[in-house]
């Protein structure tokens, strides 16, 4: 009987289940325009329900159902509703209410109302309108990576993956698409009726492109019919018959690079940087662009990047420019210029490593091809390149490296190649590490072998070599061209060097640290110089003698150092303690006299008809030089001092938090030496260096000077004029004070900003770390871009910093023994100021106080327009006088959507 009763109870509940669901469904009022659609059509089964009403269950109904795939369904289906799930078996539909969701493979649909039609494999979703007309629970649809925010309703076939959506917003790369009606196809493409495209993510965007017909092809592009450009909802006459917007992932985006246009006074109208971007694959990208000028000039650029994960990465750039203009007396321009850059950075793995950083080109490149936004390029005076290979031999102390180095002076045109260079070295070894005697236990020895071959277009002067004998050492540069390569190789300077340092550290008398060292050097050359006096020309001439020869020299030293600490305590006042750290050093070094004829490293040569002689090194001007001249038995004296103060910051003097340390003198160094073997000028000039800072290290001060302790005297020269030179007597014995300051320098640098702001150095570090965190690789181009951002904040603006000011002052003084003095001093300033939340002014300038001229100056204004940004850059005077105004979309895929006006220094 209990089984029969249970059967009738279940049968009764099944009959009344639709009535319960009807009682739980919310009542939906008539919807306003642009609101959710009307309520769902009542299933036919509801019209036959008994009129007997059953009160709704107050308990929340939560269910999660998994249906086994059938009838073409590819994978598992899961759905959920927080309020109720109602199944209509006659129409084969399921109704989900309140915070419902439906998942099928990579597809997920969220809404307050979802209807599942199993018969047609179709979903219907919409939101719920309350009594005040507010809509909640609008559908949110996700299909793979595509996301659709729906304002009204949608129908979706989860078999064919096609959908019809009313009033939807979806994000495509950096842009946003919105349409009144959208049709989604199974390949992910969408068709929009009366839609718009924008990169502004506000509900009411600042700008958008409006078109009656839009199509988004997944992974390729967005295509539009005739469109208009709107600003703040106001239509403008700007538009085109059709539009193409890239919608390709950045790593696979190939396409046309649109040019910039303008006019220069000398080269005429131009189109710059027009070309194509090639995304060959995930490992190699390239960009080829060209420039053309109406007066005949042109240029071509190739930029490529490559990367193999966990192995290496880099980039190669080539820029060739042909400058040409009508041949006139004032502007006869017809020349070529080029630049090549290459960087290659490997990942750290294995025992070998190959890296490259190449920056080479015509010496006139930076004077002709000007980047208005990169001042560093315009004032570059030297180009440096380095290609390096290193190898470590596992299980041994040996390692090897080989490199090619290039240096080039833009101002003088001198080019120097070190090709090749070879280094083999042995790490320091301690052969007596197990001995208890400390000097032997800490004894260590190392070895280094270097080989260099230097090629330069500034050859060594052959004859004569001494300007004082009526000659000059100036030489003309050899054009660095393929035709002259044999001549450049003939004048190459090469050689090899062995270095063996031996040293030991030990403690003496408990408080002293002793250091004994010996350095052995040997040079290998294939040439040496023979000097002779030429009585006809009355000068010293030289002859190059070919053949292998060695130069061996050595030196030894012994030093003692200790540390002395002094404390000065104060019972009254804000200063609690002054602490001084003094580190004196005393050492003795010995170097034999390698000018002795028995060594054969120097020649004593007659210099004039009177028979005067002078010593000349037979390896003068060689790549590693020659042996040192003269015997040295020198006493070296040094003194280093640091002075700090501890001051009170609170009333509780016993707490560590109530005191802080401030530097009074961060570093003070004094160094000199006395050579007992010298016959004159035994005391070396006294070198003094000091460094300190003020105002919580916001102002740093650096001082250095060299004091010559010997006196000077006036003598009659050969031409009858008086000359001043040093004499072998101390200055204080001649009433000339402590000596003569030969050179001195003062550097002041300050960075002022609010305590929570960043100075330029911190900005540089933050940008570098962020770039590396994102998987980037540092190279010269990246460093130049980061430096450009730091020096020109309009390119990357932190609107949270209210102001920042940096300035520097440099003073240099030099006095030669002849009495000639030279003083240079300059001051530079840079900074930025936020005059409001969206406006920022930045500047960079300086003053040459010696010539009383203002150095290169830049003034910039930046305006944050939310989805746009305006940058104004102005260089009011100087060689690169120019201005630029840019208003551009912040989105990376619409960087060419901009309004620009430029006038360069060529237009003057």
């Amino acid at each position: 009987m209990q089984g029969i009763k249970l059967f009738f109870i279940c049968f009764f509940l099944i009959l009344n289940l639709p009535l319960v669901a009807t009682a739980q469904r919310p009542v939906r009022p008539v919807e306003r325009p642009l609101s959710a659609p009307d309520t769902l059509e009542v299933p036919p089964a509801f019209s036959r329900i008994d009129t007997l009403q059953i009160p709704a269950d107050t308990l929340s109904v939560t269910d999660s159902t998994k249906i086994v795939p059938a009838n073409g369904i590819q994978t598992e289906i899961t759905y959920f509703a927080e309020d109720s799930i109602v199944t209509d078996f006659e129409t084969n539909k399921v109704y989900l209410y309140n915070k419902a969701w439906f998942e099928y493979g990579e597809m997920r649909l969220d809404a307050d109302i979802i209807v599942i039609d199993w018969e047609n494999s179709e979903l219907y979703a919409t939101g719920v309108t309350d009594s005040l007309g507010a809509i909640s629970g609008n559908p949110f649809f996700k299909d793979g990576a595509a996301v659709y925010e729906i304002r009204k309703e949608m129908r979706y076939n989860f078999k064919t993956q096609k959908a019809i959506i009313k009033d939807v917003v979806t994000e495509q790369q950096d842009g946003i698409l919105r349409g009144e009606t959208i049709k989604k196809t199974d390949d992910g493409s969408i068709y929009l009726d009366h839609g718009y495209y924008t990169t502004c993510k506000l509900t009411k965007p600042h700008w958008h492109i409006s078109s009656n017909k839009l199509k988004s092809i997944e992974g390729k592009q967005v295509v539009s019919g005739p469109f208009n450009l709107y600003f703040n909802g106001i239509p403008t006459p700007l538009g085109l018959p059709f539009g193409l917007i890239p919608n390709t992932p950045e790593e696979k985006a190939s396409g046309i690079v649109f040019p910039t246009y303008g006019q220069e006074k000398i080269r005429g109208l131009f189109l710059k940087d027009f070309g194509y971007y090639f995304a060959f694959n995930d490992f190699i990208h390239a960009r080829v662009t060209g420039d053309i000028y109406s007066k005949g000039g042109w240029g071509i650029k190739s930029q490529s990047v490559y990367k193999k994960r966990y192995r290496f990465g880099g980039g190669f750039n080539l820029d060739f420019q042909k400058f040409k203009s009508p041949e006139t007396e004032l502007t006869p321009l017809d020349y070529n210029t080029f630049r090549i850059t290459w960087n290659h950075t490997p990942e750290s793995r294995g025992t070998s490593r190959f890296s490259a950083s190449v920056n080479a080109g015509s010496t006139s490149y930076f004077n002709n091809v000007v980047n208005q936004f990169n001042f560093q390029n315009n004032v570059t005076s030297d180009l440096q390149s380095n290609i390096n290979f290193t190898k470590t031999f596992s299980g041994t102390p040996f390692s090897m490296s080989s490199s090619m180095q290039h240096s080039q002076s833009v101002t003088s045109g001198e080019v120097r190649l070190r090709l090749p260079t070879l280094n083999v070295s042995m790490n320091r070894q301690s052969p007596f590490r197990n001995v208890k005697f400390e000097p032997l236990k800490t004894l260590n020895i190392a070895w280094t072998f270097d080989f260099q071959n230097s090629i330069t277009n500034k050859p060594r002067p052959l004859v004569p070599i001494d300007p004082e004998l009526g000659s000059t050492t100036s030489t003309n540069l050899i054009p660095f061209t393929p035709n002259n390569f044999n001549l450049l190789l003939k004048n190459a300077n090469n050689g090899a060097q062995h270095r063996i340092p031996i040293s030991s550290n030990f403690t003496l008398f408990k408080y002293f640290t002793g250091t004994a060292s010996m350095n052995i050097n040997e040079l290998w050359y294939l040439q040496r110089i023979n000097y002779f006096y030429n009585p006809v020309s009355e000068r010293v001439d030289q002859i190059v003698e070919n053949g292998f020869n060695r130069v061996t020299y050595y030196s030894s030293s012994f030093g003692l150092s200790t540390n002395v600490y002094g404390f000065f305590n104060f019972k009254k006042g804000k200063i609690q303690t002054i602490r001084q750290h003094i580190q004196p050093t005393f050492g003795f070094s010995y170097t034999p006299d390698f000018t002795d004829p028995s060594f054969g490293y120097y020649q004593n040569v007659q210099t004039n008809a009177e028979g005067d002689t002078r010593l000349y090194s037979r390896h003068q001007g060689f790549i590693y030089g020659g042996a040192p001249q003269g015997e040295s038995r020198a006493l070296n004296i040094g003194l280093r001092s640091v002075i700090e103060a501890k001051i009170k910051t609170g009333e509780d003097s016993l707490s560590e938090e109530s005191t802080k340390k401030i530097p009074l003198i961060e570093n003070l160094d004094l160094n000199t030496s006395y050579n007992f073997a010298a016959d004159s000028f035994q005391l070396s000039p006294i070198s003094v260096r000091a460094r300190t800072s003020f105002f919580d290290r916001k102002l740093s001060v650096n001082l250095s000077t060299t004091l010559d302790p010997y006196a000077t005297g006036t003598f009659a020269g050969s031409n009858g004029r008086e000359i001043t030179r040093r004499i072998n007597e101390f200055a204080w014995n001649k009433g000339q004070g402590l000596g003569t300051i030969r050179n001195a320098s003062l550097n002041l640098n300050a960075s002022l900003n609010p305590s929570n702001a960043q100075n330029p150095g911190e900005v540089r570090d933050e940008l570098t770390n962020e770039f590396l965190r994102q998987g980037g690789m540092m190279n010269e181009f990246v460093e130049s871009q980061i430096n450009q951002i730091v020096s020109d904040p309009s390119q990357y603006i932190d609107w949270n910093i209210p102001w920042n000011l940096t300035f520097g002052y440099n003073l240099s003084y030099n006095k030669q023994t002849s009495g000639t003095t030279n003083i240079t001093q300059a001051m530079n300033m840079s900074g930025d100021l936020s005059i409001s939340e969206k406006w920022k002014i930045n500047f960079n300038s300086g003053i040459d106080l010696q010539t009383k001229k203002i150095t290169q100056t830049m003034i910039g204004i930046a305006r944050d327009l939310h989805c746009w940004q305006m940058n104004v850059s102005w260089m009011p005077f100087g060689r690169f006088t120019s201005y630029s105004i840019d208003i551009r979309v912040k989105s990376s895929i619409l960087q060419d959507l901009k309004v620009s006006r430029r006038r360069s220094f060529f237009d003057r």
Side-chain angles (χ1 to χ4, degrees):
M1 291 296 292
Q2 292 181 354
I4 295 173
K5 289 181 180 180
L6 182 60
F7 173 79
F8 279 106
I9 291 172
C10 293
F11 182 76
F12 180 81
L13 290 175
I14 291 174
L15 290 177
N16 287 276
L17 184 60
L19 184 60
V20 175
T22 303
Q24 291 180 346
R25 296 184 64 186
V27 179
R28 305 185 64 194
V30 179
E31 297 179 338
R32 300 179 301 173
L34 298 178
S35 63
D38 294 338
T39 56
L40 295 173
E41 187 179 298
V42 179
F46 284 11
S47 62
R48 300 190 295 273
I49 295 177
D50 194 338
T51 57
L52 180 60
Q53 299 292 321
I54 298 176
D57 191 353
T58 57
L59 295 176
S60 174
V61 179
T62 304
D63 189 14
S64 180
T65 306
K66 295 184 178 181
I67 299 178
V68 178
N71 299 328
I73 296 177
Q74 300 284 327
T75 186
E76 191 176 70
I77 292 176
T78 308
Y79 57 84
F80 166 85
E82 186 173 294
D83 185 40
S84 60
I85 299 177
V86 180
T87 302
D88 183 354
F89 291 101
E90 290 192 8
T91 59
N92 202 15
K93 292 183 180 180
V94 177
Y95 299 84
L96 312 177
Y97 296 101
N98 192 16
K99 298 182 179 178
W101 52 262
F102 178 95
E103 284 188 352
Y104 174 62
E106 294 185 350
M107 184 278 293
R108 178 184 173 101
L109 175 63
D110 293 79
D112 265 8
I113 296 177
I114 298 177
V115 180
I116 308 172
D117 186 348
W118 298 115
E119 189 72 28
N120 299 315
S121 301
E122 190 173 286
L123 296 175
Y124 174 84
T126 185
V128 175
T129 305
D130 60 19
S131 59
L132 299 177
I135 303 174
S136 62
N138 280 330
F140 188 84
F141 179 61
K142 182 178 180 182
D143 189 6
V147 176
Y148 303 86
E149 184 181 345
I150 302 165
R151 308 293 173 87
K152 285 188 178 181
E153 64 180 19
M154 76 163 292
R155 293 185 182 275
Y156 177 76
N157 190 303
F158 49 83
K159 278 189 179 180
T160 63
Q161 299 184 5
K162 296 181 180 180
I164 297 291
I165 310 173
K166 300 290 186 180
D167 195 1
V168 65
V169 176
T170 179
E171 186 170 352
Q172 303 286 319
Q173 291 295 314
D174 288 344
I176 295 174
L177 280 169
R178 181 172 182 176
E180 293 183 6
T181 303
I182 285 184
K183 177 183 178 181
K184 177 186 175 296
T185 61
D186 55 354
D187 63 355
S189 300
I190 58 176
Y191 298 81
L192 291 86
D193 179 44
H194 291 85
Y196 71 69
Y197 179 88
T198 182
T199 57
C200 182
K201 297 186 179 181
L202 296 180
T203 305
K204 294 183 178 180
H206 289 112
W207 74 276
H208 68 271
I209 294 172
S210 179
S211 177
N212 290 335
K213 295 181 179 181
L214 284 167
K215 179 182 179 181
S216 174
I217 305 173
E218 186 177 17
K220 292 185 178 180
Q221 59 198 6
V222 176
V223 183
S224 77
F227 69 87
N228 280 89
L229 186 62
Y230 282 67
F231 285 98
N232 289 325
I234 302 173
T236 69
L238 302 176
L240 290 172
F242 66 93
L244 293 175
I245 301 172
N247 187 28
T248 308
E250 184 178 353
E251 66 274 8
K252 299 180 180 179
S254 294
I256 296 174
V257 179
F258 290 94
T260 60
Y261 61 91
Q263 182 180 10
E264 292 180 359
K265 184 176 180 180
I266 296 178
R267 294 179 289 180
L269 299 171
F270 64 77
L271 283 176
K272 288 184 178 180
D273 297 326
F274 178 71
Y276 198 84
Y277 189 94
F278 299 90
F280 295 110
N281 49 45
D282 293 341
F283 309 105
I284 301 176
H285 284 201
R287 167 177 164 160
V288 179
T289 59
D291 309 333
I292 187 170
Y293 300 87
S294 61
K295 294 186 178 181
W298 56 273
I300 185 170
K301 304 172 187 175
S302 174
Q303 300 171 300
S304 61
V305 293
Y306 57 88
K307 180 175 178 63
K308 188 171 183 180
R309 185 173 295 180
Y310 309 124
R311 296 300 297 272
F312 56 80
F316 181 83
N317 301 327
L318 172 64
D319 186 2
F320 177 83
Q321 295 288 328
K322 172 72 174 180
F323 287 84
K324 190 174 183 180
S325 68
E327 294 283 347
T328 65
E329 293 182 358
L330 298 178
T331 58
L333 294 180
D334 191 357
Y335 51 84
N336 303 330
T337 186
F338 72 95
R339 184 188 183 191
I340 297 175
T341 61
W342 175 38
N343 64 85
H344 179 88
T345 305
E347 301 288 342
S348 297
R349 55 178 296 171
T351 59
S352 60
R353 177 184 174 91
F354 175 80
S355 62
S357 176
V358 176
N359 182 16
S362 304
T363 55
S364 60
Y365 179 88
F366 294 108
N367 295 326
N368 298 320
V369 182
V370 178
N371 186 336
Q372 295 176 334
F373 300 106
N374 193 337
F375 308 131
Q376 188 63 36
N377 273 2
N378 299 334
V379 296
T380 296
S381 58
D382 293 293
L383 303 177
Q384 304 286 339
S385 302
N386 186 30
I387 300 175
N388 190 53
F389 173 79
T390 59
K391 172 70 176 178
T392 301
F393 300 96
S394 301
T396 72
F398 295 96
S399 62
M400 181 194 72
S401 67
S402 180
S403 65
M404 188 280 285
Q405 299 173 359
H406 153 266
S407 63
Q408 180 177 349
S409 174
V410 174
T411 54
S412 67
E414 182 180 354
V415 179
R416 185 180 296 274
L417 288 177
R418 295 185 183 271
L419 175 67
T421 66
L422 177 66
N423 173 273
V424 181
S425 61
M426 180 187 72
N427 296 333
R428 289 186 177 271
Q429 301 296 304
S430 301
F432 307 106
R433 64 169 62 93
N434 297 323
V435 177
K436 293 184 178 180
F437 184 55
E438 188 178 7
L440 282 179
K441 182 177 182 179
T442 59
L443 181 70
N444 58 78
I445 182 172
W447 169 73
T448 301
F449 171 79
D450 291 296
F451 169 79
Q452 287 190 25
N453 180 56
S454 178
I455 303 172
T456 179
N457 62 344
K458 186 177 182 180
R460 289 175 294 166
L462 295 179
V463 290
I465 50 87
D466 197 337
E468 294 185 7
L469 302 179
S471 65
T472 176
T473 59
S474 62
T475 57
N476 295 325
L477 295 178
I478 301 173
F480 208 93
T481 61
N483 296 333
N484 294 326
F485 202 68
N486 290 332
L487 178 60
L488 295 172
L489 286 176
K490 183 179 178 181
N491 293 323
N493 192 358
N494 48 57
Q497 175 181 235
H498 295 266
R499 289 174 294 171
I500 303 177
I502 305 172
S503 63
S504 177
N505 299 313
F506 44 88
T507 302
L508 285 177
F509 311 114
K510 189 177 181 179
Y511 299 108
F512 293 88
T513 300
T515 302
S517 65
M518 182 176 183
N519 292 280
I520 303 173
N521 294 268
E522 182 167 297
L523 310 178
W524 289 356
Y525 293 120
L526 298 178
Q527 294 177 336
R528 69 175 179 177
I529 301 174
N530 287 325
Y531 299 94
F532 65 94
Y533 175 70
N534 188 338
V536 177
S537 58
E538 296 185 355
R539 67 183 187 186
V540 176
D541 286 343
Q542 63 183 20
I543 297 176
V544 176
E545 177 185 340
N546 295 321
F548 177 78
N549 61 99
R550 300 162 46 229
V551 179
T552 303
Y553 59 93
Y554 51 88
S555 63
S556 60
S557 65
F558 176 79
L560 283 176
S561 65
T562 189
N563 294 284
V564 180
Y565 297 90
F567 295 88
F568 306 91
N569 299 319
F570 298 87
K571 296 182 179 180
K572 296 181 179 181
K574 202 170 183 179
I575 300 177
Q576 189 178 57
T577 304
I578 292 179
R579 172 182 178 271
Q580 184 176 17
H581 173 207
I582 302 175
Q583 186 181 50
T585 59
F586 302 91
F588 183 82
S589 61
Y590 171 73
T591 303
D593 184 9
F594 292 101
T595 63
D596 191 289
S598 60
F599 291 103
Y601 303 152
Y602 284 81
Q603 275 186 282
N604 196 10
V605 185
Q606 179 181 345
T607 59
N608 53 35
E610 286 76 18
D612 297 333
T613 60
R614 178 174 295 185
L615 281 172
Y616 288 100
S617 171
R618 305 188 71 173
H619 303 93
Q620 180 175 327
F622 284 28
I623 195 164
Y624 294 112
Q629 180 178 353
E631 182 184 8
S632 174
R633 297 193 301 270
L635 174 66
N636 305 305
I637 303 172
L639 183 67
R640 182 178 183 270
S641 178
V642 177
I643 303 177
E644 297 175 322
K646 181 183 288 189
I647 62 174
K648 301 175 183 178
T649 58
E651 295 181 357
D652 186 6
S653 60
L654 298 178
S655 174
E656 286 293 331
E657 298 180 354
S658 64
T659 61
K660 71 173 183 178
K661 293 181 181 179
I662 60 171
L664 300 180
I665 299 178
E666 294 182 1
N667 191 27
L668 174 63
D669 289 330
L670 292 90
N671 293 280
T672 188
S673 63
Y674 189 88
N675 187 2
F676 294 95
D679 57 358
S680 61
F681 303 108
Q682 296 172 312
L683 183 63
S684 299
I686 302 170
S687 172
V688 182
R689 296 180 181 273
R691 185 182 77 250
T692 188
S693 60
F694 303 95
F695 312 115
D696 291 332
R697 301 183 184 273
K698 292 186 179 294
L699 173 64
S700 62
V701 181
N702 289 272
L703 274 167
S704 66
T705 185
T706 301
L707 181 67
D708 185 355
Y710 287 94
T712 57
T714 304
F715 303 90
S718 58
N719 55 3
R721 295 182 179 180
E722 291 187 351
I723 58 174
T724 302
R725 64 185 182 190
R726 299 171 73 200
I727 58 177
N728 190 30
E729 292 190 40
F730 291 115
W732 50 84
N733 292 333
K734 288 290 186 178
Q736 298 181 8
L738 294 177
T740 304
I741 296 178
R742 292 299 174 196
N743 54 72
S745 65
L746 169 65
N747 298 313
L748 300 176
N749 293 282
S751 178
L752 306 176
N753 50 44
S755 58
N756 60 344
Q758 294 176 308
N759 58 44
E762 293 171 334
V763 173
R764 180 183 289 104
D765 293 340
E766 180 180 339
L767 293 175
T768 302
N769 294 334
E770 178 65 17
F771 178 78
L772 295 174
R773 187 186 66 80
Q774 295 177 357
M777 296 178 299
M778 294 300 297
N779 53 56
E780 183 186 354
F781 173 77
V782 174
E783 291 178 357
S784 67
Q785 293 299 304
I786 292 177
N787 291 331
Q788 177 182 345
I789 290 171
V790 173
S791 60
D792 184 5
S794 66
Q795 304 299 309
Y796 176 87
I797 297 174
D798 187 349
W799 300 92
N800 296 322
I801 299 180
W803 60 272
N804 182 67
L805 176 64
T806 61
F807 71 88
Y809 173 76
N810 300 309
L811 172 65
S812 177
Y813 169 84
N814 179 270
K815 185 175 183 180
Q816 300 178 3
T817 55
S818 61
T820 304
T821 60
N822 182 33
I823 300 176
T824 60
Q825 54 180 334
M827 184 173 67
N828 56 78
M829 295 182 63
S830 64
D832 55 74
L833 172 67
S834 294
I835 57 179
S836 70
E837 185 180 358
K838 302 295 184 181
W839 284 94
K840 186 177 282 284
I841 298 175
N842 53 82
F843 68 93
N844 193 326
S845 185
I847 302 175
D848 188 335
L849 299 176
Q850 204 64 26
T851 61
K852 298 180 180 179
K853 292 182 179 180
I854 299 178
T855 59
Q856 186 69 61
T857 298
M858 185 278 295
I859 300 173
I861 300 175
R863 174 70 165 96
D864 184 6
L865 303 173
H866 187 255
C867 49
W868 294 68
Q869 181 167 311
M870 179 184 71
N871 293 325
V872 179
S873 178
W874 178 39
M875 286 184 280
F877 44 78
R879 181 169 177 266
F880 301 113
T881 299
S882 62
Y883 71 83
S884 172
I885 302 174
D886 282 294
I887 303 176
R888 68 175 65 230
V889 177
K890 288 184 178 179
S891 169
S892 61
I893 65 174
L894 286 180
Q895 288 180 349
D896 291 321
L897 182 61
K898 60 185 178 181
V899 181
S900 301
R901 171 67 175 122
R902 291 192 179 95
R903 189 173 191 271
S904 71
F905 70 96
F906 285 112
D907 298 338
R908 290 188 300 171

